[in-house]
Coordinates of all heavy atoms in Angstrom, one line a residue:
M1438 N 105.8 104.9 73.2 CA 104.9 105.4 74.3 C 103.8 106.2 73.7 O 102.6 105.9 73.8 CB 105.7 106.2 75.4 CG 104.8 106.8 76.4 SD 104.0 105.7 77.6 CE 103.1 106.7 78.6
S1439 N 104.1 107.3 73.0 CA 103.1 108.2 72.4 C 102.4 107.4 71.2 O 101.1 107.6 71.1 CB 103.7 109.5 71.8 OG 104.7 109.2 70.9
D1440 N 103.1 106.6 70.5 CA 102.4 105.8 69.5 C 101.3 104.9 70.1 O 100.3 104.8 69.5 CB 103.4 105.0 68.7 CG 104.2 105.8 67.8 OD1 103.9 106.9 67.6 OD2 105.3 105.3 67.3
I1441 N 101.7 104.3 71.1 CA 100.8 103.4 71.9 C 99.5 104.2 72.3 O 98.3 103.8 72.1 CB 101.4 102.6 73.1 CG1 102.3 101.6 72.5 CG2 100.3 102.0 73.9 CD1 103.2 101.0 73.5
L1442 N 99.7 105.4 72.9 CA 98.7 106.2 73.4 C 97.7 106.6 72.1 O 96.5 106.6 72.3 CB 99.2 107.4 74.1 CG 99.7 107.1 75.4 CD1 100.3 108.4 76.1 CD2 98.7 106.6 76.4
K1443 N 98.4 106.9 71.0 CA 97.6 107.3 69.8 C 96.7 106.1 69.4 O 95.5 106.3 69.1 CB 98.5 107.7 68.7 CG 98.9 109.2 68.7 CD 99.9 109.5 67.5 CE 100.8 110.7 67.9 NZ 102.0 110.6 67.1
L1444 N 97.3 105.0 69.4 CA 96.6 103.8 69.0 C 95.4 103.5 70.0 O 94.2 103.3 69.6 CB 97.5 102.6 69.0 CG 98.1 102.2 67.7 CD1 99.2 101.0 67.9 CD2 97.1 101.8 66.6
L1445 N 95.7 103.7 71.2 CA 94.7 103.4 72.3 C 93.6 104.4 72.1 O 92.4 104.1 72.3 CB 95.3 103.5 73.6 CG 96.1 102.2 74.0 CD1 96.8 102.5 75.3 CD2 95.2 101.0 74.2
D1446 N 93.9 105.6 71.7 CA 93.0 106.7 71.6 C 91.9 106.4 70.5 O 90.8 106.9 70.6 CB 93.8 108.0 71.3 CG 92.9 109.2 71.7 OD1 92.3 109.1 72.8 OD2 92.8 110.3 70.9
K1447 N 92.4 105.6 69.5 CA 91.5 105.3 68.4 C 90.5 104.1 68.8 O 89.5 104.0 68.1 CB 92.3 104.9 67.1 CG 92.9 106.2 66.5 CD 93.8 105.7 65.3 CE 94.5 107.0 64.7 NZ 95.6 106.6 64.0
A1448 N 90.9 103.4 69.8 CA 90.1 102.3 70.2 C 88.9 102.8 71.0 O 89.1 103.4 72.0 CB 91.0 101.2 71.0
P1449 N 87.7 102.4 70.6 CA 86.5 102.9 71.3 C 86.5 102.5 72.7 O 86.1 103.3 73.6 CB 85.4 102.1 70.5 CG 85.9 101.8 69.2 CD 87.5 101.6 69.4
I1450 N 86.9 101.3 73.1 CA 86.9 100.8 74.4 C 87.8 101.7 75.4 O 87.4 101.9 76.5 CB 87.4 99.3 74.6 CG1 87.3 98.7 76.0 CG2 88.8 99.1 74.0 CD1 85.9 98.4 76.4
W1451 N 88.9 102.1 74.8 CA 89.8 102.9 75.6 C 89.2 104.3 75.9 O 89.3 104.8 77.0 CB 91.1 103.1 74.8 CG 92.1 104.0 75.6 CD1 92.5 105.3 75.2 CD2 92.8 103.7 76.8 NE1 93.3 105.7 76.1 CE2 93.7 104.8 77.1 CE3 92.9 102.5 77.5 CZ2 94.5 104.8 78.2 CZ3 93.7 102.6 78.7 CH2 94.4 103.7 78.9
K1452 N 88.5 104.9 74.9 CA 87.8 106.1 75.1 C 86.7 106.0 76.2 O 86.6 106.8 77.1 CB 87.1 106.6 73.8 CG 88.1 107.4 73.0 CD 87.3 108.0 71.8 CE 88.4 108.8 70.9 NZ 87.8 109.1 69.6
T1453 N 86.0 104.9 76.2 CA 85.0 104.6 77.2 C 85.6 104.5 78.6 O 85.1 105.1 79.5 CB 84.3 103.3 76.9 OG1 83.8 103.3 75.5 CG2 83.1 103.1 77.8
L1454 N 86.8 103.9 78.6 CA 87.5 103.7 79.9 C 87.9 105.1 80.4 O 87.8 105.3 81.6 CB 88.7 102.8 79.8 CG 88.3 101.3 79.7 CD1 89.5 100.5 79.3 CD2 87.7 100.8 80.9
T1455 N 88.6 105.9 79.5 CA 89.1 107.2 80.0 C 88.0 108.1 80.4 O 88.2 109.1 81.3 CB 89.9 107.8 78.9 OG1 89.1 107.9 77.7 CG2 91.2 107.1 78.6
Q1456 N 86.8 107.8 79.9 CA 85.6 108.8 80.3 C 84.9 108.3 81.5 O 84.1 108.9 82.0 CB 84.6 108.9 79.1 CG 85.2 109.7 78.0 CD 84.5 109.4 76.7 OE1 83.5 108.7 76.7 NE2 85.0 109.9 75.6
T1457 N 85.3 107.1 82.1 CA 84.6 106.6 83.3 C 85.6 106.2 84.3 O 85.9 104.9 84.5 CB 83.6 105.5 82.9 OG1 84.4 104.5 82.1 CG2 82.4 106.0 82.1
P1458 N 86.2 107.1 85.1 CA 87.2 106.7 86.1 C 86.6 105.7 87.1 O 87.4 104.9 87.5 CB 87.4 108.0 86.8 CG 87.0 109.1 85.8 CD 85.8 108.5 85.0
K1459 N 85.4 105.6 87.4 CA 84.8 104.7 88.4 C 85.1 103.2 87.8 O 85.4 102.4 88.5 CB 83.4 105.0 88.5 CG 82.8 104.2 89.7 CD 81.3 104.6 89.9 CE 80.5 103.6 90.8 NZ 80.2 102.3 90.1
Q1460 N 84.7 103.1 86.5 CA 84.9 101.8 85.9 C 86.4 101.3 85.9 O 86.7 100.2 86.2 CB 84.5 101.8 84.4 CG 83.0 101.6 84.3 CD 82.5 101.4 82.8 OE1 83.2 102.0 82.0 NE2 81.6 100.6 82.6
I1461 N 87.3 102.4 85.8 CA 88.7 102.1 85.8 C 89.1 101.6 87.2 O 89.8 100.6 87.4 CB 89.6 103.3 85.4 CG1 89.4 103.6 83.9 CG2 91.1 103.0 85.7 CD1 90.1 104.9 83.4
A1462 N 88.6 102.2 88.2 CA 88.9 101.8 89.6 C 88.4 100.5 89.9 O 89.0 99.7 90.5 CB 88.2 102.9 90.6
E1463 N 87.2 100.1 89.3 CA 86.7 98.8 89.5 C 87.5 97.8 88.8 O 87.8 96.7 89.3 CB 85.2 98.8 89.0 CG 84.2 99.4 89.9 CD 82.9 99.6 89.3 OE1 82.6 99.0 88.2 OE2 82.0 100.2 89.9
L1464 N 88.0 98.1 87.6 CA 88.8 97.2 86.9 C 90.1 97.0 87.6 O 90.7 95.8 87.6 CB 89.1 97.7 85.5 CG 87.9 97.5 84.5 CD1 88.1 98.3 83.2 CD2 87.7 96.1 84.1
E1465 N 90.7 98.1 88.1 CA 91.9 98.0 88.8 C 91.8 97.1 90.0 O 92.7 96.3 90.3 CB 92.4 99.4 89.2 CG 93.1 100.1 88.1 CD 93.5 101.5 88.5 OE1 93.0 102.0 89.6 OE2 94.3 102.1 87.9
A1466 N 90.7 97.2 90.7 CA 90.4 96.3 91.9 C 90.4 94.9 91.5 O 90.9 94.0 92.2 CB 89.2 96.8 92.6
R1467 N 89.7 94.7 90.3 CA 89.6 93.3 89.8 C 90.9 92.7 89.5 O 91.2 91.5 89.8 CB 88.6 93.3 88.7 CG 87.3 92.4 88.9 CD 86.6 92.2 87.6 NE 85.6 93.2 87.6 CZ 84.7 93.3 86.5 NH1 84.9 92.5 85.5 NH2 83.8 94.2 86.4
V1468 N 91.8 93.5 88.7 CA 93.0 93.1 88.4 C 93.9 92.8 89.6 O 94.5 91.8 89.6 CB 93.8 94.1 87.4 CG1 95.2 93.8 87.3 CG2 93.0 94.2 86.1
A1469 N 93.8 93.7 90.6 CA 94.6 93.4 91.8 C 94.2 92.2 92.5 O 95.0 91.5 93.0 CB 94.4 94.7 92.7
A1470 N 92.9 91.9 92.4 CA 92.3 90.6 93.1 C 92.8 89.4 92.3 O 93.3 88.4 92.9 CB 90.9 90.6 93.1
L1471 N 92.9 89.5 91.0 CA 93.4 88.4 90.1 C 94.8 88.2 90.3 O 95.4 87.1 90.4 CB 93.0 88.7 88.7 CG 91.6 88.5 88.3 CD1 91.4 89.1 86.8 CD2 91.1 87.1 88.3
E1472 N 95.6 89.3 90.4 CA 97.1 89.2 90.6 C 97.4 88.6 92.0 O 98.4 88.0 92.1 CB 97.7 90.6 90.4 CG 97.8 90.9 89.0 CD 98.4 92.3 88.8 OE1 98.4 93.1 89.8 OE2 98.9 92.7 87.7
A1473 N 96.6 88.9 92.9 CA 96.8 88.4 94.3 C 96.5 87.0 94.5 O 97.2 86.4 95.3 CB 96.0 89.3 95.3
K1474 N 95.7 86.4 93.7 CA 95.2 85.0 93.8 C 96.4 84.0 93.6 O 96.6 83.1 94.5 CB 94.1 84.7 92.9 CG 92.8 84.9 93.6 CD 91.6 84.6 92.7 CE 90.3 85.0 93.4 NZ 89.2 85.1 92.5
P1475 N 97.2 84.1 92.5 CA 98.2 83.2 92.3 C 99.2 83.2 93.4 O 99.8 82.3 93.8 CB 98.9 83.6 91.0 CG 97.8 84.3 90.3 CD 97.0 85.0 91.4
R1476 N 99.6 84.5 93.9 CA 100.6 84.6 95.0 C 100.1 84.0 96.2 O 100.8 83.3 96.9 CB 100.9 86.0 95.2 CG 101.9 86.7 94.3 CD 102.5 87.9 94.9 NE 101.5 88.9 95.0 CZ 101.3 89.8 94.0 NH1 101.9 89.7 92.9 NH2 100.4 90.8 94.3
E1477 N 98.8 84.1 96.5 CA 98.2 83.5 97.6 C 98.4 82.0 97.6 O 98.6 81.3 98.6 CB 96.7 83.9 97.8 CG 95.8 83.0 98.5 CD 96.0 83.2 100.0 OE1 96.5 84.2 100.5 OE2 95.4 82.4 100.7
A1478 N 98.0 81.4 96.4 CA 98.1 80.0 96.4 C 99.5 79.5 96.3 O 99.9 78.4 96.8 CB 97.4 79.5 95.1
E1479 N 100.4 80.2 95.7 CA 101.9 79.8 95.5 C 102.6 79.5 96.8 O 103.3 78.5 96.9 CB 102.6 80.9 94.7 CG 104.0 80.3 94.2 CD 104.7 81.4 93.4 OE1 104.1 82.4 92.9 OE2 105.9 81.3 93.3
H1480 N 102.4 80.4 97.8 CA 103.1 80.2 99.1 C 102.5 78.9 99.8 O 103.2 78.5 100.8 CB 102.9 81.4 100.0 CG 101.7 81.7 100.6 ND1 100.6 82.4 100.1 CD2 101.3 81.1 101.9 CE1 99.7 82.4 101.0 NE2 100.0 81.6 102.1
L1481 N 101.4 78.4 99.4 CA 100.8 77.2 100.0 C 101.3 76.0 99.3 O 101.3 74.8 99.9 CB 99.3 77.2 99.9 CG 98.6 78.3 100.6 CD1 97.1 78.2 100.4 CD2 98.9 78.4 102.1
H1482 N 102.0 76.1 98.2 CA 102.5 75.0 97.4 C 104.0 75.0 97.2 O 104.5 74.0 96.7 CB 101.8 74.9 96.1 CG 100.3 74.8 96.2 ND1 99.7 73.7 96.7 CD2 99.3 75.7 95.9 CE1 98.4 73.9 96.7 NE2 98.1 75.1 96.2
T1483 N 104.6 76.1 97.7 CA 106.1 76.2 97.5 C 106.7 76.6 98.8 O 106.2 77.6 99.4 CB 106.4 77.2 96.3 OG1 105.7 76.8 95.2 CG2 107.9 77.2 96.0
C1484 N 107.7 76.0 99.2 CA 108.4 76.3 100.5 C 109.1 77.7 100.3 O 109.8 77.9 99.4 CB 109.5 75.3 100.8 SG 110.4 75.7 102.2
G1485 N 108.7 78.6 101.3 CA 109.3 79.9 101.2 C 110.8 79.9 101.6 O 111.4 80.9 101.5
Q1486 N 111.3 78.8 102.1 CA 112.7 78.7 102.6 C 113.6 78.2 101.4 O 114.7 78.7 101.2 CB 112.7 77.9 103.9 CG 113.6 78.6 104.9 CD 113.4 77.9 106.3 OE1 112.3 77.7 106.7 NE2 114.5 77.6 106.9
C1487 N 113.1 77.1 100.9 CA 114.0 76.3 99.8 C 113.4 76.2 98.4 O 114.1 75.9 97.6 CB 114.3 75.0 100.4 SG 113.0 73.9 100.5
G1488 N 112.1 76.6 98.3 CA 111.4 76.6 97.1 C 110.9 75.2 96.6 O 110.4 75.1 95.5
Q1489 N 111.0 74.1 97.5 CA 110.6 72.8 97.1 C 109.0 72.8 97.2 O 108.5 73.6 98.0 CB 111.3 71.9 98.0 CG 112.7 71.6 97.6 CD 113.2 70.3 98.2 OE1 112.7 69.2 98.0 NE2 114.2 70.4 99.1
P1490 N 108.5 71.8 96.6 CA 107.1 71.6 96.7 C 106.7 71.4 98.2 O 107.4 70.8 98.9 CB 106.8 70.3 96.0 CG 107.8 70.2 95.0 CD 109.0 70.8 95.6
A1491 N 105.6 72.1 98.6 CA 105.2 72.1 99.9 C 103.6 72.0 100.0 O 103.0 72.2 98.9 CB 105.6 73.2 100.7
S1492 N 103.1 71.6 101.2 CA 101.6 71.6 101.2 C 101.2 72.0 102.6 O 102.0 71.9 103.5 CB 101.1 70.2 100.8 OG 101.7 69.2 101.6
V1493 N 100.0 72.2 102.8 CA 99.3 72.6 104.0 C 99.3 71.3 104.9 O 98.6 70.3 104.4 CB 97.9 73.1 103.9 CG1 97.4 73.5 105.3 CG2 98.0 74.4 103.0
T1494 N 99.9 71.2 106.0 CA 99.9 70.1 106.9 C 99.1 70.2 108.2 O 98.8 69.3 108.8 CB 101.3 69.7 107.2 OG1 102.0 70.8 107.8 CG2 102.1 69.2 106.0
A1495 N 98.8 71.5 108.5 CA 98.0 71.7 109.7 C 97.3 73.1 109.7 O 97.8 74.0 109.1 CB 98.9 71.7 110.9
V1496 N 96.2 73.1 110.2 CA 95.4 74.3 110.4 C 94.9 74.4 111.8 O 94.4 73.5 112.4 CB 94.2 74.3 109.4 CG1 93.4 75.7 109.7 CG2 94.6 74.2 108.0
R1497 N 95.2 75.5 112.5 CA 94.7 75.7 113.8 C 94.2 77.2 114.0 O 94.5 78.0 113.2 CB 95.8 75.4 114.9 CG 97.0 76.3 114.7 CD 98.1 75.8 115.8 NE 99.4 76.4 115.4 CZ 99.9 77.6 116.0 NH1 99.1 78.3 116.8 NH2 101.1 78.1 115.7
D1498 N 93.4 77.4 115.0 CA 92.9 78.7 115.3 C 94.1 79.6 115.7 O 95.1 79.3 116.4 CB 91.9 78.7 116.5 CG 90.6 78.0 116.0 OD1 90.4 78.0 114.8 OD2 89.8 77.7 116.9
H1499 N 94.0 80.8 115.2 CA 95.0 81.8 115.7 C 94.8 82.1 117.2 O 93.7 82.2 117.7 CB 94.7 83.1 114.9 CG 95.8 84.1 115.0 ND1 96.1 84.9 116.1 CD2 96.7 84.5 114.1 CE1 97.0 85.7 115.9 NE2 97.6 85.5 114.7
P1500 N 96.0 82.1 117.9 CA 95.8 82.2 119.3 C 95.2 83.5 119.8 O 94.6 83.5 120.9 CB 97.3 82.1 119.8 CG 98.2 82.4 118.5 CD 97.4 82.0 117.4
T1501 N 95.4 84.6 119.0 CA 94.8 85.9 119.5 C 93.5 86.2 118.7 O 92.6 86.6 119.3 CB 95.8 87.0 119.2 OG1 97.1 86.6 119.8 CG2 95.3 88.3 119.9
F1502 N 93.5 85.9 117.4 CA 92.4 86.3 116.7 C 91.5 85.2 116.2 O 90.7 85.3 115.2 CB 92.8 87.2 115.4 CG 93.7 88.3 115.8 CD1 95.1 88.3 115.6 CD2 93.1 89.4 116.4 CE1 95.9 89.4 116.0 CE2 93.8 90.6 116.8 CZ 95.2 90.5 116.6
G1503 N 91.7 83.9 116.8 CA 90.9 82.8 116.4 C 89.4 83.1 116.6 O 88.6 82.6 115.9
V1504 N 89.1 83.9 117.6 CA 87.7 84.1 117.9 C 87.0 85.0 116.7 O 85.8 84.9 116.6 CB 87.4 85.0 119.2 CG1 87.7 84.2 120.4 CG2 88.4 86.2 119.2
F1505 N 87.8 85.6 115.9 CA 87.3 86.4 114.8 C 87.3 85.5 113.5 O 87.2 85.9 112.4 CB 88.1 87.6 114.6 CG 88.1 88.5 115.7 CD1 89.2 88.8 116.4 CD2 86.9 89.1 116.2 CE1 89.3 89.6 117.5 CE2 86.9 90.0 117.3 CZ 88.1 90.2 117.9
G1506 N 87.8 84.2 113.6 CA 87.7 83.3 112.5 C 89.1 83.2 111.9 O 89.3 82.6 110.8
K1507 N 90.1 83.8 112.5 CA 91.5 83.8 111.9 C 92.1 82.4 112.2 O 92.0 82.0 113.4 CB 92.3 85.0 112.3 CG 93.5 85.3 111.5 CD 94.0 86.6 111.8 CE 95.1 87.0 110.9 NZ 95.7 88.4 111.1
K1508 N 92.8 81.9 111.3 CA 93.5 80.7 111.5 C 95.0 80.8 111.2 O 95.5 81.8 110.6 CB 93.0 79.6 110.5 CG 91.5 79.5 110.5 CD 91.0 78.4 111.4 CE 89.4 78.2 111.3 NZ 88.9 77.5 112.4
I1509 N 95.7 79.7 111.5 CA 97.2 79.7 111.1 C 97.3 78.4 110.4 O 96.9 77.3 110.9 CB 98.1 79.7 112.4 CG1 98.0 81.1 113.0 CG2 99.5 79.3 112.0 CD1 98.8 81.2 114.2
R1510 N 97.9 78.5 109.2 CA 98.2 77.3 108.4 C 99.6 77.0 108.5 O 100.5 77.8 108.3 CB 97.8 77.5 107.0 CG 96.2 77.5 106.8 CD 95.8 77.3 105.4 NE 96.0 78.6 104.7 CZ 95.4 78.9 103.5 NH1 94.5 78.0 103.1 NH2 95.6 80.0 102.9
T1511 N 100.0 75.7 108.7 CA 101.3 75.2 108.6 C 101.6 74.6 107.3 O 100.9 73.7 106.9 CB 101.7 74.2 109.7 OG1 101.3 74.8 111.0 CG2 103.1 73.9 109.7
I1512 N 102.7 75.1 106.5 CA 103.0 74.7 105.3 C 104.3 73.9 105.4 O 105.3 74.5 106.0 CB 103.3 75.8 104.3 CG1 102.2 76.9 104.3 CG2 103.5 75.3 102.9 CD1 100.8 76.3 104.0
T1513 N 104.4 72.6 105.1 CA 105.6 71.9 105.2 C 106.2 71.3 103.9 O 105.4 70.9 103.1 CB 105.3 70.6 106.2 OG1 104.6 71.1 107.4 CG2 106.6 69.9 106.6
C1514 N 107.4 71.4 103.7 CA 108.0 71.0 102.4 C 108.6 69.7 102.6 O 108.7 69.1 103.7 CB 108.9 72.1 101.9 SG 110.5 72.0 102.6
Q1515 N 109.2 69.1 101.5 CA 109.8 67.8 101.4 C 111.1 67.9 102.3 O 111.5 66.8 102.8 CB 110.1 67.5 100.0 CG 108.9 67.2 99.1 CD 109.1 67.1 97.6 OE1 110.2 67.4 97.2 NE2 108.0 66.6 96.9
A1516 N 111.7 69.0 102.4 CA 113.0 69.2 103.2 C 112.7 69.3 104.6 O 113.6 69.3 105.5 CB 113.8 70.3 102.7
G1517 N 111.4 69.4 105.0 CA 111.0 69.4 106.4 C 110.9 70.7 107.0 O 110.6 70.9 108.2
H1518 N 111.0 71.8 106.2 CA 110.7 73.2 106.7 C 109.2 73.3 106.9 O 108.4 72.9 106.2 CB 111.1 74.2 105.7 CG 112.6 74.2 105.4 ND1 113.0 74.1 104.0 CD2 113.6 74.1 106.1 CE1 114.3 74.0 104.0 NE2 114.7 74.1 105.3
A1519 N 108.9 73.9 108.1 CA 107.5 74.1 108.5 C 107.3 75.6 108.7 O 108.0 76.2 109.5 CB 107.1 73.4 109.7
I1520 N 106.6 76.2 107.8 CA 106.4 77.7 107.9 C 104.8 77.9 108.1 O 104.0 77.3 107.5 CB 106.8 78.3 106.6 CG1 108.2 78.0 106.3 CG2 106.6 79.9 106.8 CD1 108.7 78.5 104.9
E1521 N 104.6 78.9 109.1 CA 103.2 79.1 109.4 C 102.8 80.4 108.8 O 103.5 81.4 108.8 CB 103.1 79.3 111.0 CG 103.3 77.9 111.7 CD 103.1 77.9 113.2 OE1 103.3 79.1 113.7 OE2 102.6 76.9 113.7
Y1522 N 101.6 80.4 108.3 CA 100.9 81.6 107.7 C 99.6 81.9 108.4 O 98.8 81.0 108.6 CB 100.7 81.4 106.2 CG 102.0 81.3 105.4 CD1 102.6 80.1 105.1 CD2 102.7 82.5 105.0 CE1 103.8 80.0 104.3 CE2 103.9 82.4 104.2 CZ 104.4 81.1 103.9 OH 105.5 81.1 103.1
D1523 N 99.4 83.1 108.6 CA 98.1 83.6 109.1 C 97.1 83.3 107.9 O 97.4 83.5 106.7 CB 98.0 85.1 109.4 CG 98.8 85.3 110.7 OD1 99.3 84.4 111.2 OD2 98.7 86.5 111.2
W1524 N 95.9 83.1 108.2 CA 94.9 82.7 107.2 C 93.5 83.2 107.6 O 93.1 82.8 108.8 CB 94.9 81.3 106.8 CG 93.8 80.8 105.9 CD1 93.5 81.5 104.8 CD2 93.0 79.6 105.9 NE1 92.5 80.9 104.1 CE2 92.2 79.7 104.7 CE3 93.0 78.6 106.8 CZ2 91.2 78.7 104.5 CZ3 92.0 77.7 106.5 CH2 91.1 77.7 105.4
K1525 N 92.9 84.0 106.9 CA 91.4 84.4 107.2 C 90.6 83.8 106.1 O 90.5 84.3 105.0 CB 91.4 85.9 107.2 CG 90.0 86.4 107.6 CD 89.8 86.4 109.0 CE 88.6 87.2 109.5 NZ 87.3 86.6 109.1
P1526 N 90.0 82.6 106.5 CA 89.0 82.0 105.5 C 87.9 83.0 105.1 O 87.4 83.7 105.9 CB 88.4 80.8 106.2 CG 89.4 80.6 107.4 CD 89.9 82.0 107.8
E1527 N 87.6 83.0 103.8 CA 86.5 84.0 103.4 C 85.2 83.4 103.7 O 84.9 82.2 103.6 CB 86.7 84.2 101.8 CG 88.0 84.9 101.4 CD 88.1 86.2 102.1 OE1 87.2 86.9 102.4 OE2 89.3 86.6 102.4
Ligands
ZN2090 ZN1 111.8 73.9 102.5

């Protein structure tokens, strides 16, 4: 732990990062966005019930929030499970 910190302390980029908390916050937000993307896609391609390959088979307006552009996507797998997910298209 401390060895790693010592190493990082010698790296110019690390010093820059520690001196600019705003940049760190921006980087954290970017990492969070990147980490969220695969998870977002995964639930559209894998059944949440049995883990088999699945795909989007239907999209409809959200009954309550459809007026705000919110949708509901139905994900159906090979075993016939149909799971609905709220979806807000960007
Ligand atoms: Zn399934």
Side-chain angles (χ1 to χ4, degrees):
M1438 175 65 180
S1439 57
D1440 284 349
I1441 289 172
L1442 286 175
K1443 272 178 210 162
L1444 266 175
L1445 286 171
D1446 206 41
K1447 285 174 186 160
I1450 182 76
W1451 180 252
K1452 276 188 180 164
T1453 306
L1454 286 173
T1455 53
Q1456 285 160 8
T1457 51
K1459 188 174 167 284
Q1460 275 188 327
I1461 293 175
E1463 284 171 4
L1464 284 169
E1465 280 178 343
R1467 243 190 264 175
V1468 169
L1471 286 171
E1472 284 178 340
K1474 268 179 191 168
R1476 274 200 296 272
E1477 156 79 11
E1479 195 181 335
H1480 78 268
L1481 299 177
H1482 303 294
T1483 307
C1484 177
Q1486 225 167 312
C1487 67
Q1489 286 196 60
S1492 58
V1493 180
T1494 52
V1496 179
R1497 62 185 165 89
D1498 287 344
H1499 191 284
T1501 311
F1502 303 108
V1504 286
F1505 303 113
K1507 200 164 185 177
K1508 310 261 185 202
I1509 291 178
R1510 288 194 285 203
T1511 304
I1512 314 299
T1513 308
C1514 80
Q1515 293 170 349
H1518 301 127
I1520 303 169
E1521 293 184 331
Y1522 292 98
D1523 287 4
W1524 176 42
K1525 182 81 169 70
E1527 296 303 325

